[in-house]
Amino acid sequence: MIQPEKVKRPRIRMVRIDNESLDSEEDESVSDDVGSEDEDFDAMLEQQETSDDEGTAAVKPQPISLPNSTEDGEGTSSLPYVFDMPSSYEDLVRLLQPHSASEILTVIERLVKCHHPSLKEGNKKRLARLFLYLLRFYDSLSVDGAGKIDTLGVLIKCLYSLMKFDIEYAARCVRALLRQQWKAHLHDRRAVFGFRAVSLVRLVAALFPVSDFSHPVCTPTLAFAVSLVGTVRVTCIRIAARILVLIAVIIDYVTETRRYIPEVIAFMRGLLLMGVENRDEESSPTATFPISLPHRRMLFIENDGCVDKTSLMLKIADVFDDDLSSFEDTNENRLSVLRFAIALLCRLVSLYSIHHYSFKAIFGPFGDLLKRLPSQRYPSLLRAELEEAQACITAECDKNSTLKQLQKTKQRKKMLEMLEPRFDESFNAERSRNDTVKGGKKAEDKKLRRKYKKEMRGAMRELRKDNQFIAREKRREVEANDRMRRKKTKELLHSLQGQESEYKKNMYMKQAPRK
């Protein structure tokens, strides 16, 4: 038996990569130095920094302060054209932190051009390491919330351009980051997620193909997002708005495949149930919604109010802001959440309209909930969108209502045949069919039919007699011919016998004198 504790573990040699050294071949992938698939994201960062003799342990992502992005390109003109490759994550932060979003894109593009794999051996590993550092920079920046969404969009473009140099290593890095957030989610499934989880799900959709039936990165990411939708408890409209934003990203995953996500449908139904005056016996489809008053009606509008059209827009920065006063439980925020939910519902209706047999069972309850919403208290813009959603769901339900449930065939009951006697006052025993008394055209037609049948029977009887006579004559003729043939045959045989006897007699007479 082999004792695992006495077996020597293989030693992994770490090679430092400097900007001036040439110590690896161009076609060698960084994935050889990464380790197993179960490696954590922080461990990968620590391994890369250890290979560069930095010796700094990876820490949890912290918010990073960046300057406001500028629309014009005045800042990019002062940037140098040549940049040194960052040897650690801290160097990358110091390089990108002073720049705006547009300048960060320029810096990354010039880094890629200066360290392209075709220029020098070892640049492929350097760019792969830059992808890992930039992925952590993206993750750290998303912790600060949705206030830096422009910079995150620029970083997605940069990560996409770097991923093409080593797709396998990029997939393993993203899987490691996903595994890190998945473990944090498993530690407390009911905890509210922040913008970090939404940004990761959006990043995966931008980097990898989501139309594949099974993908090593997209499939677990979709499972992670669906788990967040199905397990996070809805205690206020802020959490409901965050889940709606996550659902909007999930819909991008299933737009092409049209995969059915039951957790999304259940959440949308429970959310609309909070917008109506629900009763005690009405239960939510999932256990994540509140069941006591007034929390189970947190989206119900009780009074009319003048709401500006601009306030109906759901602001992602306010939804994911840690300050509770930025998104309070007001009628304006309730209406904005309802409007966003109705827009997502319309997308789901158009997405799942191809499921003809199950469409009515899925979206039939939504039509009833939309009718129960207090639309008379809503602004005109939201009321028009609500009516449009109702009309769309009703039209699709009528179109896809051809489904018939299987039922046992009902057998018709056999009724007893009632043989009631018929009495005829003018009955004549000698003539059973006394039609002269009734008279009329009907009796005359009946009489003609009887006469026709009688004549038909007589004609058929005469035809049968004629056929019998013809058959007898033919049979008589055949018998006469047979008798004539037999008579002639008998005469021929008699003549032949006489000739034979004469022949034998002559032969005997010729032989007799000799004796």
Side-chain angles (χ1 to χ4, degrees):
M1 298 295 291
I2 299 176
Q3 298 181 2
E5 61 274 5
K6 294 185 179 181
V7 178
K8 293 183 178 180
R9 296 182 179 179
R11 300 179 61 185
I12 301 176
R13 181 183 178 185
M14 301 296 179
V15 182
R16 180 179 178 180
I17 303 175
D18 294 329
N19 293 335
E20 297 84 6
S21 62
L22 302 175
D23 49 6
S24 63
E25 297 182 357
E26 181 180 359
D27 57 347
E28 185 177 0
S29 177
V30 183
S31 58
D32 299 336
D33 300 334
V34 172
S36 63
E37 279 290 329
D38 296 335
E39 195 171 9
D40 192 70
F41 185 67
D42 290 339
M44 297 180 68
L45 284 169
E46 185 178 359
Q47 181 180 359
Q48 286 292 338
E49 293 182 355
T50 304
S51 64
D52 296 328
D53 292 337
E54 292 293 331
T56 57
V59 295
K60 293 184 178 181
Q62 300 293 333
I64 300 175
S65 60
L66 292 176
N68 296 328
S69 59
T70 56
E71 298 295 336
D72 52 358
E74 296 179 357
T76 59
S77 60
S78 60
L79 294 175
Y81 289 94
V82 179
F83 291 93
D84 293 335
M85 180 63 68
S87 58
S88 64
Y89 172 70
E90 288 75 12
D91 295 342
L92 179 68
V93 173
R94 286 192 294 269
L95 177 63
L96 300 181
Q97 192 170 6
H99 302 291
S100 61
S102 59
E103 294 175 352
I104 288 176
L105 180 61
T106 305
V107 170
I108 298 300
E109 289 178 353
R110 293 178 181 179
L111 271 175
V112 173
K113 291 180 180 179
C114 293
H115 301 85
H116 197 271
S118 61
L119 300 178
K120 189 178 181 181
E121 294 183 358
N123 284 346
K124 186 176 181 180
K125 280 193 173 183
R126 296 186 182 92
L127 293 178
R129 184 180 58 193
L130 178 62
F131 178 87
L132 179 62
Y133 293 158
L134 201 62
L135 181 61
R136 179 182 172 182
F137 184 74
Y138 176 88
D139 185 43
S140 302
L141 202 63
S142 63
V143 177
D144 194 23
K148 303 171 183 176
I149 193 170
D150 296 336
T151 307
L152 293 176
V154 171
L155 291 178
I156 289 177
K157 296 180 181 179
C158 299
L159 290 170
Y160 184 79
S161 62
L162 288 171
M163 185 184 66
K164 63 183 180 181
F165 296 107
D166 197 342
I167 299 179
E168 181 182 357
Y169 180 69
R172 296 181 66 176
C173 292
V174 177
R175 281 174 60 90
L177 180 59
L178 175 64
R179 189 180 299 110
Q180 186 184 61
Q181 295 198 20
W182 182 265
K183 289 180 180 179
H185 169 63
L186 293 180
H187 183 69
D188 188 4
R189 290 178 175 269
R190 306 297 183 183
V192 183
F193 60 90
F195 188 72
R196 183 187 179 193
V198 179
S199 62
L200 176 61
V201 178
R202 183 65 187 89
L203 174 66
V204 173
L207 295 182
F208 301 98
V210 295
S211 59
D212 295 347
F213 180 77
S214 178
H215 193 272
V217 182
C218 297
T219 302
T221 305
L222 181 61
F224 170 67
V226 170
S227 178
L228 291 176
V229 173
T231 57
V232 175
R233 290 190 179 275
V234 181
T235 57
C236 60
I237 63 173
R238 176 196 299 272
I239 300 177
R242 291 186 179 185
I243 298 178
L244 285 178
V245 173
L246 182 59
I247 289 176
V249 181
I250 292 176
I251 293 177
D252 295 336
Y253 277 74
V254 297
T255 300
E256 296 183 9
T257 59
R258 300 179 185 270
R259 184 179 300 175
Y260 178 67
I261 309 295
E263 290 83 358
V264 172
I265 300 297
F267 178 82
M268 296 295 296
R269 184 177 174 184
L271 186 71
L272 292 178
L273 187 61
M274 293 192 302
V276 301
E277 193 173 0
N278 48 45
R279 298 179 295 272
D280 295 337
E281 60 272 11
E282 291 181 335
S283 59
S284 300
T286 60
T288 58
F289 292 94
I291 59 176
S292 61
L293 290 174
H295 302 287
R296 72 182 186 192
R297 297 180 184 175
M298 63 176 64
L299 294 178
F300 181 68
I301 306 298
E302 298 181 355
N303 50 9
D304 300 338
C306 182
V307 181
D308 189 11
K309 294 182 179 180
T310 58
S311 62
L312 294 180
M313 299 297 296
L314 189 65
K315 299 179 181 179
I316 301 180
D318 296 339
V319 171
F320 289 95
D321 194 356
D322 295 334
D323 188 8
L324 299 179
S325 61
S326 61
F327 199 82
E328 298 178 349
D329 293 349
T330 59
N331 287 341
E332 290 79 4
N333 293 334
R334 293 189 184 96
L335 292 174
S336 61
V337 171
L338 284 174
R339 185 188 180 192
F340 190 46
I342 292 173
L344 292 179
L345 181 61
C346 292
R347 291 186 61 185
L348 291 173
V349 169
S350 62
L351 189 66
Y352 294 137
S353 59
I354 62 172
H355 302 295
H356 303 291
Y357 297 105
S358 59
F359 183 87
K360 189 174 182 180
I362 296 173
F363 292 97
F366 285 96
D368 300 336
L369 288 175
L370 293 180
K371 294 178 182 178
R372 293 174 56 187
L373 290 174
S375 58
Q376 67 278 3
R377 302 172 187 173
Y378 294 167
S380 58
L381 178 61
L382 181 57
R383 193 183 304 115
E385 294 178 356
L386 180 60
E387 293 176 356
E388 183 180 356
Q390 290 179 1
C392 182
I393 293 177
T394 304
E396 290 293 337
C397 288
D398 295 340
K399 179 181 177 182
N400 300 318
S401 61
T402 57
L403 177 63
K404 295 182 179 179
Q405 297 181 356
L406 295 178
Q407 296 180 356
K408 186 178 180 180
T409 56
K410 296 181 179 180
Q411 297 180 356
R412 297 182 60 182
K413 296 182 180 180
K414 293 183 178 180
M415 302 298 294
L416 295 176
E417 186 177 358
M418 305 300 293
L419 302 177
E420 297 181 358
R422 184 177 58 185
F423 298 96
D424 190 2
E425 297 179 357
S426 59
F427 177 73
N428 188 2
E430 296 179 356
R431 188 176 182 182
S432 59
R433 299 181 181 273
N434 190 9
D435 296 332
T436 57
V437 179
K438 297 180 181 180
K441 185 178 180 181
K442 187 175 181 180
E444 186 178 356
D445 293 341
K446 195 173 183 180
K447 184 178 180 180
L448 290 175
R449 282 195 296 271
R450 285 199 305 270
K451 187 176 181 180
Y452 165 75
K453 291 180 181 179
K454 184 178 179 181
E455 295 295 334
M456 179 64 70
R457 287 193 296 268
M460 292 177 65
R461 186 167 53 252
E462 294 296 330
L463 289 175
R464 282 195 296 270
K465 290 181 180 180
D466 294 343
N467 291 333
Q468 292 175 2
F469 174 76
I470 293 173
R472 284 196 303 270
E473 292 297 326
K474 286 184 178 180
R475 188 168 56 253
R476 190 179 296 111
E477 184 178 355
V478 171
E479 291 176 354
N481 293 334
D482 291 343
R483 284 195 300 270
M484 185 65 68
R485 186 174 59 256
R486 285 195 297 269
K487 183 178 180 181
K488 290 182 179 180
T489 303
K490 188 182 293 185
E491 291 178 355
L492 289 174
L493 290 175
H494 183 69
S495 175
L496 290 174
Q497 289 177 359
Q499 292 178 5
E500 185 179 5
S501 63
E502 291 292 334
Y503 173 75
K504 289 181 179 181
K505 184 177 180 180
N506 292 333
M507 291 297 296
Y508 178 76
M509 294 299 294
K510 288 180 180 181
Q511 294 177 0
R514 294 179 182 179
K515 294 181 179 181

